[in-house]
Coordinates of all heavy atoms in Angstrom, one line a residue:
I881 N 11.7 -10.0 -15.0 CA 13.1 -9.5 -14.9 C 13.2 -9.1 -13.4 O 12.6 -8.1 -13.0 CB 13.4 -8.4 -15.8 CG1 13.1 -8.9 -17.2 CG2 14.8 -7.9 -15.6 CD1 13.2 -7.8 -18.3
L882 N 14.0 -9.9 -12.6 CA 14.1 -9.6 -11.2 C 14.7 -8.2 -10.9 O 14.1 -7.5 -10.0 CB 14.9 -10.7 -10.5 CG 15.1 -10.6 -9.0 CD1 13.7 -10.7 -8.3 CD2 16.0 -11.7 -8.5
G883 N 15.6 -7.8 -11.7 CA 16.3 -6.5 -11.3 C 15.4 -5.4 -11.6 O 15.3 -4.4 -10.7
F884 N 14.6 -5.4 -12.6 CA 13.5 -4.3 -12.8 C 12.4 -4.3 -11.8 O 11.9 -3.4 -11.3 CB 13.0 -4.6 -14.3 CG 12.0 -3.5 -14.6 CD1 12.5 -2.2 -14.9 CD2 10.6 -3.5 -14.7 CE1 11.7 -1.2 -15.3 CE2 9.8 -2.6 -15.0 CZ 10.3 -1.3 -15.3
A885 N 12.0 -5.6 -11.3 CA 10.9 -5.7 -10.3 C 11.5 -5.1 -9.1 O 10.8 -4.3 -8.4 CB 10.6 -7.2 -10.1
V886 N 12.7 -5.3 -8.6 CA 13.4 -4.8 -7.5 C 13.4 -3.2 -7.7 O 13.1 -2.5 -6.7 CB 14.8 -5.3 -7.3 CG1 15.5 -4.5 -6.2 CG2 14.8 -6.7 -6.8
A887 N 13.7 -2.8 -8.8 CA 13.8 -1.3 -9.0 C 12.4 -0.6 -8.8 O 12.3 0.5 -8.2 CB 14.3 -1.0 -10.4
V888 N 11.4 -1.4 -9.3 CA 10.0 -0.7 -9.2 C 9.7 -0.8 -7.7 O 9.1 0.1 -7.2 CB 9.0 -1.7 -10.0 CG1 7.6 -1.3 -9.6 CG2 9.2 -1.5 -11.4
A889 N 9.9 -1.9 -7.0 CA 9.6 -2.0 -5.6 C 10.4 -0.9 -4.8 O 9.7 -0.2 -3.9 CB 9.9 -3.3 -5.0
V890 N 11.6 -0.6 -5.0 CA 12.4 0.3 -4.2 C 11.8 1.7 -4.6 O 11.7 2.6 -3.7 CB 13.9 0.2 -4.7 CG1 14.7 1.4 -4.2 CG2 14.5 -1.0 -4.1
C891 N 11.5 2.0 -5.9 CA 11.0 3.3 -6.1 C 9.6 3.5 -5.4 O 9.3 4.6 -4.9 CB 10.7 3.4 -7.7 SG 12.3 3.7 -8.6
A892 N 8.8 2.5 -5.4 CA 7.5 2.7 -4.7 C 7.8 2.9 -3.2 O 7.0 3.7 -2.5 CB 6.7 1.4 -5.0
L893 N 8.7 2.1 -2.6 CA 9.0 2.3 -1.1 C 9.6 3.8 -0.8 O 9.1 4.4 0.2 CB 10.0 1.3 -0.7 CG 9.5 -0.2 -0.5 CD1 10.7 -1.0 -0.2 CD2 8.6 -0.1 0.5
L894 N 10.4 4.2 -1.7 CA 10.9 5.6 -1.6 C 9.7 6.7 -1.7 O 9.7 7.6 -0.7 CB 12.0 6.0 -2.6 CG 13.3 5.2 -2.5 CD1 14.2 5.5 -3.7 CD2 13.9 5.6 -1.1
V895 N 8.8 6.5 -2.5 CA 7.7 7.5 -2.7 C 6.8 7.3 -1.4 O 6.3 8.2 -0.9 CB 6.9 7.2 -4.0 CG1 5.7 8.0 -4.1 CG2 7.8 7.5 -5.1
A896 N 6.6 6.1 -0.9 CA 5.9 5.8 0.3 C 6.5 6.5 1.4 O 5.8 7.3 2.3 CB 5.7 4.3 0.6
L897 N 7.8 6.5 1.6 CA 8.5 7.2 2.7 C 8.3 8.7 2.6 O 8.1 9.4 3.6 CB 10.0 6.8 2.7 CG 10.3 5.4 3.1 CD1 11.9 5.1 3.0 CD2 10.0 5.3 4.7
W898 N 8.5 9.2 1.3 CA 8.2 10.5 1.1 C 6.8 11.0 1.5 O 6.6 12.0 2.1 CB 8.5 10.8 -0.4 CG 8.4 12.3 -0.8 CD1 8.2 13.4 0.0 CD2 8.5 12.8 -2.2 NE1 8.2 14.5 -0.7 CE2 8.4 14.2 -2.0 CE3 8.5 12.3 -3.4 CZ2 8.2 15.0 -3.2 CZ3 8.6 13.0 -4.5 CH2 8.4 14.4 -4.4
S899 N 5.8 10.2 1.2 CA 4.4 10.4 1.5 C 4.2 10.6 2.9 O 3.5 11.3 3.5 CB 3.5 9.4 0.7 OG 2.2 9.8 0.9
F900 N 4.8 9.5 3.7 CA 4.7 9.5 5.1 C 5.3 10.7 5.7 O 4.8 11.2 6.8 CB 5.1 8.2 5.6 CG 4.3 7.0 5.3 CD1 4.8 5.7 4.8 CD2 2.8 7.1 5.4 CE1 3.9 4.7 4.6 CE2 2.0 6.1 5.1 CZ 2.6 4.7 4.6
A901 N 6.5 11.1 5.2 CA 7.2 12.3 5.8 C 6.3 13.5 5.5 O 6.3 14.3 6.5 CB 8.6 12.4 5.1
Q902 N 5.7 13.7 4.4 CA 4.8 14.8 4.2 C 3.7 14.7 5.1 O 3.2 15.8 5.6 CB 4.3 14.8 2.6 CG 5.4 14.9 1.7 CD 5.7 16.4 1.5 OE1 6.5 16.9 2.3 NE2 5.2 17.1 0.5
A903 N 3.1 13.5 5.5 CA 2.0 13.5 6.4 C 2.4 13.8 7.7 O 1.6 14.6 8.5 CB 1.4 12.1 6.4
A904 N 3.6 13.4 8.1 CA 4.2 13.8 9.5 C 4.4 15.4 9.6 O 4.2 15.9 10.7 CB 5.5 13.0 9.7
R905 N 4.7 16.0 8.4 CA 4.8 17.4 8.5 C 3.5 18.2 8.2 O 3.5 19.4 8.0 CB 5.8 17.8 7.4 CG 7.3 17.3 7.8 CD 8.3 17.5 6.7 NE 8.1 18.6 5.7 CZ 8.7 18.6 4.6 NH1 9.5 17.7 4.2 NH2 8.4 19.6 3.8
K906 N 2.5 17.4 8.2 CA 1.0 17.8 8.1 C 0.9 18.6 6.7 O 0.2 19.7 6.6 CB 0.7 18.8 9.1 CG 0.6 18.1 10.5 CD 0.3 19.0 11.7 CE 0.3 18.1 13.0 NZ 0.0 18.8 14.1
R907 N 1.4 18.0 5.7 CA 1.3 18.6 4.3 C 0.3 17.8 3.5 O 0.2 16.6 3.7 CB 2.7 18.5 3.7 CG 3.9 19.2 4.3 CD 4.2 20.5 3.6 NE 5.1 21.2 4.4 CZ 6.3 21.6 4.0 NH1 6.6 21.3 2.6 NH2 7.1 22.3 4.6
L908 N -0.3 18.6 2.7 CA -1.3 17.9 1.7 C -0.5 17.3 0.5 O 0.6 17.7 0.3 CB -2.2 19.0 1.3 CG -3.1 19.6 2.3 CD1 -4.0 20.6 1.6 CD2 -3.9 18.7 3.1
P909 N -1.1 16.4 -0.3 CA -0.4 15.9 -1.5 C -0.2 17.0 -2.4 O -1.0 17.8 -2.7 CB -1.5 14.9 -2.1 CG -2.4 14.6 -0.9 CD -2.5 15.7 0.0
D910 N 1.0 17.3 -2.8 CA 1.4 18.3 -3.7 C 1.9 17.7 -5.1 O 1.9 16.5 -5.3 CB 2.5 19.1 -3.0 CG 3.8 18.5 -2.6 OD1 3.8 17.2 -2.9 OD2 4.6 19.0 -2.1
T911 N 2.1 18.7 -6.0 CA 2.5 18.2 -7.4 C 3.8 17.3 -7.4 O 3.8 16.3 -8.0 CB 2.7 19.5 -8.2 OG1 1.4 20.3 -8.1 CG2 3.0 19.1 -9.6
P912 N 4.8 17.7 -6.7 CA 5.9 16.8 -6.8 C 5.7 15.4 -6.4 O 6.2 14.4 -6.9 CB 7.0 17.4 -5.9 CG 6.6 18.9 -5.9 CD 5.1 19.0 -5.9
L913 N 4.9 15.2 -5.3 CA 4.5 13.9 -4.8 C 3.8 13.2 -5.9 O 3.9 12.0 -6.1 CB 3.8 14.0 -3.4 CG 3.5 12.7 -2.8 CD1 4.6 11.7 -2.6 CD2 2.6 12.8 -1.5
L914 N 2.8 13.8 -6.5 CA 2.0 13.3 -7.6 C 2.8 12.9 -8.8 O 2.6 11.9 -9.4 CB 0.8 14.2 -7.9 CG -0.3 14.4 -6.8 CD1 -1.3 15.4 -7.2 CD2 -0.9 13.1 -6.3
V915 N 3.8 13.7 -9.1 CA 4.6 13.4 -10.2 C 5.4 12.1 -9.9 O 5.7 11.2 -10.7 CB 5.6 14.6 -10.5 CG1 6.8 14.1 -11.4 CG2 4.9 15.7 -11.1
A916 N 5.9 11.9 -8.6 CA 6.6 10.8 -8.2 C 5.7 9.5 -8.3 O 6.1 8.5 -8.7 CB 7.1 11.0 -6.7
L917 N 4.5 9.6 -8.0 CA 3.5 8.6 -8.2 C 3.4 8.3 -9.6 O 3.3 7.1 -10.0 CB 2.1 9.0 -7.6 CG 1.9 8.9 -6.1 CD1 0.5 9.6 -5.8 CD2 2.1 7.5 -5.6
G918 N 3.3 9.2 -10.4 CA 3.3 9.0 -11.9 C 4.5 8.3 -12.5 O 4.3 7.4 -13.4
V919 N 5.8 8.6 -11.9 CA 7.0 7.8 -12.3 C 6.8 6.3 -11.9 O 7.1 5.5 -12.7 CB 8.2 8.5 -11.7 CG1 9.4 7.6 -11.8 CG2 8.4 9.8 -12.2
V920 N 6.3 6.1 -10.7 CA 6.1 4.7 -10.3 C 5.1 4.0 -11.2 O 5.2 3.0 -11.7 CB 5.7 4.5 -8.9 CG1 5.4 3.1 -8.5 CG2 6.7 5.1 -8.0
E921 N 4.1 4.7 -11.6 CA 3.0 4.3 -12.5 C 3.6 3.9 -13.8 O 3.2 2.8 -14.5 CB 1.8 5.1 -12.6 CG 0.6 4.6 -13.3 CD -0.1 3.5 -12.6 OE1 0.2 3.3 -11.2 OE2 -0.8 2.7 -13.2
V922 N 4.4 4.7 -14.4 CA 5.1 4.5 -15.6 C 6.0 3.1 -15.5 O 6.0 2.4 -16.5 CB 5.9 5.7 -16.1 CG1 6.9 5.3 -17.2 CG2 5.0 6.9 -16.6
L923 N 6.7 3.1 -14.5 CA 7.4 1.8 -14.2 C 6.6 0.6 -14.2 O 6.8 -0.5 -14.8 CB 8.3 1.9 -12.9 CG 9.5 2.8 -12.9 CD1 10.0 3.1 -11.5 CD2 10.5 2.5 -13.9
L924 N 5.3 0.7 -13.6 CA 4.5 -0.4 -13.6 C 4.0 -0.7 -15.0 O 3.7 -1.9 -15.3 CB 3.2 -0.1 -12.6 CG 3.7 -0.1 -11.1 CD1 2.5 0.5 -10.3 CD2 4.2 -1.4 -10.7
V925 N 3.7 0.4 -15.8 CA 3.3 0.0 -17.2 C 4.3 -0.7 -18.0 O 4.1 -1.5 -18.7 CB 2.9 1.4 -17.9 CG1 2.7 1.2 -19.3 CG2 1.7 1.9 -17.3
A926 N 5.7 -0.2 -17.7 CA 6.8 -0.9 -18.4 C 6.8 -2.4 -18.0 O 7.0 -3.3 -18.8 CB 8.1 -0.3 -18.0
Q927 N 6.5 -2.6 -16.7 CA 6.5 -4.0 -16.2 C 5.4 -4.9 -16.8 O 5.5 -5.9 -17.1 CB 6.2 -4.1 -14.7 CG 6.4 -5.4 -14.1 CD 6.4 -5.3 -12.5 OE1 6.2 -4.3 -11.9 NE2 6.5 -6.5 -12.0
L928 N 4.2 -4.2 -17.1 CA 3.1 -4.9 -17.8 C 3.7 -5.2 -19.2 O 3.3 -6.4 -19.6 CB 1.9 -3.9 -17.9 CG 0.7 -4.3 -18.8 CD1 0.0 -5.5 -18.1 CD2 -0.2 -3.2 -19.1
V929 N 4.3 -4.3 -19.9 CA 4.8 -4.7 -21.2 C 5.7 -5.8 -21.2 O 5.6 -6.6 -22.1 CB 5.4 -3.3 -21.9 CG1 6.2 -3.6 -23.1 CG2 4.4 -2.2 -22.0
V930 N 6.7 -5.8 -20.2 CA 7.6 -6.8 -20.1 C 6.9 -8.1 -19.9 O 7.3 -9.2 -20.5 CB 8.6 -6.6 -19.0 CG1 9.5 -7.7 -18.6 CG2 9.6 -5.5 -19.3
G931 N 5.9 -8.1 -19.1 CA 5.1 -9.4 -18.8 C 4.5 -9.9 -20.0 O 4.4 -11.0 -20.3

Side-chain angles (χ1 to χ4, degrees):
I881 302 171
L882 182 61
F884 186 72
V886 169
V888 172
V890 168
C891 286
L893 285 173
L894 290 173
V895 176
L897 288 174
W898 182 9
S899 184
F900 292 134
Q902 291 284 78
R905 293 172 26 197
K906 299 182 181 177
R907 302 253 174 124
L908 302 178
D910 56 3
T911 302
L913 183 59
L914 294 174
V915 168
L917 285 171
V919 169
V920 174
E921 188 70 17
V922 167
L923 291 172
L924 291 169
V925 169
Q927 185 172 4
L928 173 74
V929 170
V930 167

